[in-house]
Each structure stands twice: as C-alpha cells, then as structure tokens.
Amino acid sequence: MGSIDSPNDADNDNNRQLAGTSPNFAVNPPENESYRRRKSSILPLEVGTRVLCRWRDSKHHPVKVIERRRVHGGGPNDYEYYVHYTEFNRRLDEWVKLEQLDLKSVETVVDEKVEDKVTSLKMTRHQKRKIDETHVEGHEELDAASLREHEEFTKVKNIATIELGRYEIETWYFSPFPPEYNDSLKLYFCEFCLNFMKRPEQLQRHMRKCDLKHPPGDEIYRSGTLSMFEVDGKKNKVYGQNLCYLAKLFLDHKTLYYDVDLFLFYVLCECDDRGCHMVGYFSKEKHSEESYNLACILTLPPYQRKGYGKFLIAFSYELSKKEAKVGTPERPLSDLGLLSYRGYWTRVLLDILKKHKGNISIKELSDMTAIKAEDILTTLQSLELIQYRKGQHVICADPKVLDRHLKAAGRGGLDVDVSKLIWTPYKEQG
C-alpha cells in the first residue's frame, strides 16, 4: 500500500492555503449559515447514501453507507457509519466517524458500475500480484439472487480484530460465529487448537491447559522450518469448524462448512522451539467426482508476500501426483483465484516446454503435471501457444516467446521438496 501520510497533513495544507487567501476567510456568514442549514437537514445520513470519505491515505474516496449506529451518549444526529469504498474490495469496509465524511459531497453522483467491478478497477499489476500471494477466494458458486442475500446478511463485519499467537490481525469479512459472540469486536484464538474466546484472561487460562503444539493431525511434510499437517475433519470436527470460522474472516464468498467430515485440511506451519504456528491452509474433499484437488485456500495476512500461496497450490498438485490422478481447483474460480492458478499453470507448463525436445501432447503434459487437460488447453490458448491444425491441437513453443511469458508470470515462490513428503492417499488409509 506504500507509506501512509499523517491524517492531519491534508487538513494542515488546507489551513495554510485558506490562511493565505484573505484575512476575512473565517467569517463568510451567508455561506456558513447555508452550509449549517444544509448539514442539519441531511443528518443523520440514510443507509444507501453516497458521499466522499477520508481514508487512511488522507484522501477522499467515494463510499456508500451500508449501516449506521448511534454514538453512545451522543445527540439525535450523532451516528457512526459503516461504509463500503466503491473503488475497492469489500475487505476495506469499515466504521467511520462523521468528521471523516465530506458532507458537501452527499449529492455527488457515483457511477453504479463502479461496484460491479470492485477489485478490477484501479488495480495495478503490483496490487494484483500482492493479492495473488494472499489467497484465492473460492466457493463463489452463488447466483445473482443468492449473492444479494449473502451480501445483505454479511454486509457488516462482526469481528474487527483477532489475536492469533503473537499477531493481532485486522479482519476482512463477516464470519457467522455463534450468537454468544455477537457483541465481541475482538476474539482471542489458541493458535494450536483454534478454540476462540472473548477475553485475554480466558485465553491465558486455556493456554495453561492446552497440550497441543501443532495442528491435531499427521505431519506429512517437514522441510527446514516448514511443516504440513493433514487434519481429518471427521476425526477432528471441532478443529475443522474452528478453522472454517477463522478462514471466513478473510474469505468473502467462502461457504462455511458445518459438515467438515467430508473434508481434509492441509495446514501449513512455520516451526520453532515454541511449536508449529499456522501460516495458511487449503482444504479438499475426501472424494470428488469432479477431480477437485482443492476447495478453499488461504494464507493468513501476517504471512503474505512470502510465496506461501503458491506453495499451497503446488502442494495440492503434488498430492494429486501421489494419487496418480489429475486435479483441478473447485469451480467456479473468482477472478483473483483464476489469476493465481493461471500463474502456476503457466510457470509449470512453460518450464517443461523449455526443457522438452520434440513434440509433446496435452495428455502427456497432464500426465507429467497432474494438471487437468482442460486447464492446460485454456492456459496455452491464453498465451497463444496453441493452434488447431488438421483436427488436432498443436503446441507452438518458440523459445523466445516462452521466455517472455515466463518472465511475465513472475516468480514461482517456495519449492515443494517432494522427497520430504510422506503421505498415504486417503482411500488407502485404514
């Protein structure tokens, strides 16, 4: 996001500019009186109002008022407003005070199409790469009516921050915690069993009794300080549900699993002498008729921009290779999810094409990589590396073109050392 100026910088600039214009700038009765009358007539702001709001960068951005609540002990017009920044993703929605809103802009018309584009608007290549590292928003299987219902139900973040291990993390989205947590703006998680509590002293008592130092599953990978644990949702139902509650705070259209029995969770950890600390995870169905090898994926905010998201995607394909199956992520993918996977597919396929001598078929590529043939075809088509000749697809692999596409695809992130993966596919377990 870059450096953030002091919130007062813009105000000081305005004051300096005004002070230099006229010694009488502070007393302009007609304008001030008119503005006071107008301000009185529009407050409190209605839900749905569009206005400019001062954000963390000290600049004003267009917002839509999603919800409002009275300020405790305030007057009849004293409200806080929950706003959606129409230029940005919903994860930036927040409660703001009245002084952050530019009431002179209340009648400003904002293009309705802005909200439909959300993250695709005003997003630089650097920002897309940054989000690519963050997470893939899976489970966006909602039709238009369901999406509206989902957004209405989840429009206001219920938990503002969480404490997980040594990190305090600002949340991004609503998560349907049990009703008894409705009044909790902050939750405290045990970083090993993922039980959550309302107060820090509850967490301290819990940590004295909790004997876990890693996720409650089998360690299937250890390379240096990185470990991967496989957690069976049926054997560890509470942990699986807690993980879903936690993940939903950072995934917008993810479906929360109450029936976690059908899923396996692969939890990536950084390990030290205090234990194995969760970095991120992906889930997959135990049995998928559609060859899905990944359902949801998340890298927690403190661990972003370190290549862990790409590592998790690569790991899901290494499991597919062990199963002797082709795999593909659960559909439909979000735009950012497709961006993440297209980057992975591009790097893997082009690396092979660069090294391979002679012709190679899409089926052979699929057998080598465990990537589904349809995903290989669409990736190569998007790179304009495939042609249809005499009833069959032909791969055109000019070395200079391959190098250009590889450079554009960016770094591959952390490598999975397959020799350190000790794992038995689920169908073969006891």
Side-chain angles (χ1 to χ4, degrees):
M1 193 177 295
S3 61
I4 298 176
D5 297 328
S6 163
N8 297 320
D9 286 350
D11 294 340
N12 292 339
D13 288 343
N14 289 339
N15 288 341
R16 284 194 293 270
Q17 182 180 2
L18 286 170
T21 54
S22 165
N24 298 318
F25 77 94
V27 282
N28 192 338
E31 182 180 347
N32 287 347
E33 183 59 33
S34 171
Y35 178 63
R36 277 197 292 271
R37 284 199 302 269
R38 182 169 175 275
K39 178 180 175 181
S40 177
S41 67
I42 63 175
L43 289 178
L45 297 178
E46 298 292 335
V47 170
T49 298
R50 294 173 183 273
V51 63
L52 293 177
C53 178
R54 190 177 70 248
W55 193 50
R56 304 169 193 175
D57 59 1
S58 298
K59 297 176 182 176
H60 283 80
H61 297 268
V63 300
K64 180 180 178 181
V65 176
I66 302 298
E67 192 58 89
R68 67 184 189 186
R69 64 187 181 195
R70 288 188 180 276
V71 175
H72 182 69
N77 289 335
D78 290 334
Y79 282 81
E80 288 181 313
Y81 298 93
Y82 194 79
V83 299
H84 167 60
Y85 293 89
T86 55
E87 298 170 313
F88 305 125
N89 187 284
R90 288 204 321 153
R91 73 181 65 161
L92 297 178
D93 294 3
E94 62 179 348
W95 287 101
V96 300
K97 299 186 183 301
L98 181 64
E99 53 263 32
Q100 292 175 250
L101 302 176
D102 179 6
L103 296 182
K104 293 179 182 178
S105 68
V106 164
E107 295 177 0
T108 300
V109 177
V110 177
D111 186 356
E112 294 285 342
K113 294 180 181 177
V114 169
E115 286 187 274
D116 296 334
K117 296 181 181 179
V118 191
T119 55
S120 63
L121 257 185
K122 295 194 175 182
M123 184 176 289
T124 64
R125 182 180 298 176
H126 169 74
Q127 287 171 313
K128 283 188 177 181
R129 179 169 58 80
K130 183 176 178 179
I131 294 176
D132 176 27
E133 281 290 313
T134 306
H135 71 296
V136 181
E137 290 184 19
H139 294 277
E140 298 188 87
E141 67 278 6
L142 307 175
D143 56 33
S146 299
L147 183 58
R148 284 194 296 272
E149 182 180 351
H150 162 83
E151 290 186 344
E152 176 62 27
F153 180 67
T154 65
K155 64 184 180 180
V156 177
K157 260 181 268 188
N158 51 338
I159 308 296
T161 58
I162 63 167
E163 187 174 299
L164 181 69
R166 57 196 177 98
Y167 293 106
E168 183 176 80
I169 311 171
E170 288 186 15
T171 64
W172 293 352
Y173 302 110
F174 172 91
S175 182
F177 284 89
E180 58 266 33
Y181 296 90
N182 285 349
D183 60 347
S184 304
L185 291 177
K186 181 176 180 178
L187 290 182
Y188 299 83
F189 280 79
C190 170
E191 64 175 328
F192 301 117
C193 72
L194 298 187
N195 281 332
F196 45 89
M197 295 128 235
K198 292 182 179 183
R199 297 189 302 278
E201 55 270 24
Q202 290 176 308
L203 177 62
Q204 290 165 5
R205 286 198 298 271
H206 169 85
M207 295 304 291
R208 286 195 288 268
K209 294 184 292 182
C210 184
D211 55 3
L212 279 179
K213 293 299 178 186
H214 57 74
D218 297 325
E219 185 177 24
I220 62 173
Y221 181 87
R222 171 71 73 100
S223 179
T225 59
L226 281 188
S227 277
M228 183 74 86
F229 290 83
E230 180 184 68
V231 181
D232 187 328
K234 185 173 184 179
K235 295 179 183 176
N236 298 281
K237 190 186 294 279
V238 173
Y239 181 90
Q241 291 175 340
N242 289 345
L243 178 56
C244 290
Y245 281 124
L246 171 65
K248 181 63 189 70
L249 292 168
F250 305 100
L251 298 171
D252 190 6
H253 296 150
K254 174 186 180 296
T255 302
L256 185 69
Y257 307 130
Y258 291 101
D259 184 9
V260 294
D261 294 17
L262 306 178
F263 288 86
L264 296 167
F265 300 91
Y266 294 90
V267 185
L268 179 62
C269 297
E270 284 184 354
C271 303
D272 58 25
D273 55 1
R274 295 187 300 112
C276 298
H277 313 282
M278 178 183 168
V279 164
Y281 87 104
F282 71 89
S283 60
K284 67 181 283 189
E285 290 182 88
K286 292 176 179 175
H287 304 287
S288 172
E289 295 180 3
E290 297 88 354
S291 300
Y292 293 145
N293 65 352
L294 184 146
C296 272
I297 180 172
L298 170 72
T299 303
L300 289 168
Y303 299 97
Q304 291 160 16
R305 307 291 311 282
K306 296 183 178 181
Y308 288 133
K310 294 169 184 173
F311 178 90
L312 289 168
I313 291 175
F315 199 94
S316 71
Y317 278 101
E318 293 302 334
L319 297 187
S320 292
K321 291 175 188 176
K322 287 271 191 180
E323 293 175 303
K325 294 179 179 178
V326 296
T328 192
E330 185 173 308
R331 298 302 199 277
L333 282 169
S334 67
D335 290 345
L336 295 177
L338 180 59
L339 191 71
S340 299
Y341 268 91
R342 187 61 58 78
Y344 171 79
W345 294 329
T346 297
R347 286 185 295 271
V348 169
L349 296 173
L350 296 192
D351 276 338
I352 293 174
L353 292 177
K354 276 194 69 175
K355 298 171 185 174
H356 188 79
K357 305 297 182 184
N359 295 329
I360 188 169
S361 69
I362 288 177
K363 184 180 186 310
E364 287 172 321
L365 284 172
S366 182
D367 291 340
M368 294 169 69
T369 62
I371 300 173
K372 204 170 183 179
E374 291 89 335
D375 296 332
I376 294 174
L377 184 60
T378 56
T379 300
L380 294 179
Q381 284 174 334
S382 72
L383 299 171
E384 298 182 348
L385 293 177
I386 200 160
Q387 296 178 5
Y388 195 69
R389 297 177 187 167
K390 297 180 181 180
Q392 62 181 357
H393 291 101
V394 179
I395 298 170
C396 308
D398 180 276
K400 292 182 180 178
V401 176
L402 296 182
D403 286 337
R404 190 172 71 245
H405 284 311
L406 266 174
K407 186 176 181 181
R411 295 178 295 109
L414 302 171
D415 292 327
V416 179
D417 184 347
V418 184
S419 67
K420 304 292 178 62
L421 174 58
I422 302 172
W423 180 71
T424 305
Y426 179 78
K427 66 177 180 180
E428 299 173 18
Q429 294 175 354

